Amino acid sequence: MTIRADDISVSSGNKVRLSNVSLALQPGQLVVAIGPNGAGKSTLLKALSGQLPIQSGSVTLDAIPINEWGKQALARRRAVFSQHTNVAFDFTVEEVIMLGRGPFSHGAETHSDWQMVEQIIDELDLGALRHRICNQLSGGEQQRVQIARVLVQSDSVSDATGIFFMDEPTSSLDIEHQHQVMDLLRRRTHNGSTVFAVLHDLNLAATYADEIIIVDQGRQIAAGAPWDVMKTDLLDTVFSANFTVVTHPVSGVPALLTSSPISGRNTRGVPAETSPTGQ
């Protein structure tokens, strides 16, 4: 399954949120969009996933305009993790996760449905929480539950067709669970799924992405493999910071360090320590 955007633009009132963006998401890819706040990353994700109408251009899923897919058929092919998802009722963790099987189970859960729920509970280390009320968990725990709900929205345990849109899936997670989630998304692509994620942590993006897209002011500024995109001049301009890009001594991927853009000092006049991005 392939999602394709051709020259798409999105506006809200008088504000242009996306301008003439083109890209294709192929099976087996983990694509990450990065950029400053308000750059248009989440807008791009919503346009690609069919959640947001576009003003010009086209978005297609397997060559069919995405707005021509029925809701049920679309839900069987792509799942979306949103930044803000509230559970209105006192559902337990496993009940919330089972909601992800809705497009397939029609409310009558099967052995296969429960097999998938059990697997994702194990993969995301949620076993101790499974009977807890989701609304009573910490923010990071609730985020992992919602990720689990999204990832069971696929044909089978070893799904080879699903497309997963993940809007800042690691924003509330500690370091251990950030890598746990990203590694799980990476393994999904090894089974043939497609993942499009929005991340703020540039080091996570460089570690896990097959392709990185830089978005700024609604435009696609660059796209390519991490070493092709993570260039200091480009990053300095887009993020208004001083970047140093080195080779990670273990993985060999780009590792990014940042400092204050004003002569290595922050706005309070205290020397700014060089630190990994996203931390």
Side-chain angles (χ1 to χ4, degrees), residues 5 12 42 56 86 123 133 159 162 169 176 184 203 217 227 252 256 271:
S12 178
S42 295
S56 62
N86 297 317
E123 289 177 318
I133 300 299
D159 178 59
E176 175 189 3
L184 180 55
N203 280 310
Q217 298 181 23
W227 275 114
L256 290 84

Side-chain angles (χ1 to χ4, degrees), residues 58 163 248:
S58 65
I163 303 173
H248 193 286

